[in-house]
Amino acid sequence: MRIAKDDIPVRVAAPGATARQQRDFGSAEGYGQIGGEYFSLAAGTDLAPLLQGLENDACHCPHWGYLITGQITVTYGDGSEESVKGGDLFYWPPGHSIRVGEDAEIVLFSPQHEHTDVMDHINAKLAG
């Protein structure tokens, strides 16, 4: 799920301040601690080969985030794709992979245990 800033409903509009809130933006139920993460990703990066060997060859961790700049295509387990661009909020449920279309700066909030497992797997693949 992605949503552009201007499509997020305004909940508070006060002089000098606007607060937007998208309700029901994914559930963290059943997960422990959440980690805050900042990623810099170069255009052409494709995580699919690095996720091979994980369940369904995909990231099994949900993510909530904000794409500061760039463009990322997320592919879900059912084969559907979604393009996220700079300025978008997003929720990626478990069972996804990404490829980077334009250099990207991204902030993620992820269950740290599950995402640490995924990052450990990627590091092992990179180490050979």
Side-chain angles (χ1 to χ4, degrees):
M1 171 195 298
R2 66 156 285 280
I3 187 166
K5 179 184 87 172
D6 291 338
D7 294 335
I8 301 169
V10 173
R11 297 282 293 144
V12 176
T18 301
R20 297 172 181 273
Q21 180 189 43
Q22 179 62 52
R23 300 186 66 171
D24 302 320
F25 202 65
S27 172
E29 186 175 331
Y31 294 100
Q33 296 295 312
I34 300 292
E37 304 158 346
Y38 190 104
F39 285 76
S40 299
L41 303 167
T45 299
D46 184 353
L47 289 187
L50 297 172
L51 298 175
Q52 290 176 351
L54 291 172
E55 182 179 342
N56 298 317
D57 294 328
C59 179
H60 57 265
C61 181
H63 307 285
W64 296 262
Y66 177 74
L67 187 59
I68 299 167
T69 60
Q71 184 276 329
I72 295 175
T73 300
V74 59
T75 303
Y76 299 105
D78 65 1
S80 65
E81 292 186 339
E82 184 172 44
S83 180
V84 180
K85 61 182 190 272
D88 287 348
L89 285 177
F90 60 84
Y91 168 66
W92 297 336
H96 64 272
S97 182
I98 65 165
R99 67 182 180 281
V100 182
E102 299 172 12
D103 290 353
E105 297 289 319
I106 184 173
V107 174
L108 291 177
F109 299 96
S110 311
Q112 65 189 21
H113 175 75
E114 288 77 2
H115 206 210
T116 297
D117 287 347
V118 172
M119 289 190 283
D120 287 347
H121 177 84
I122 289 171
N123 280 329
K125 290 281 237 182
L126 290 170

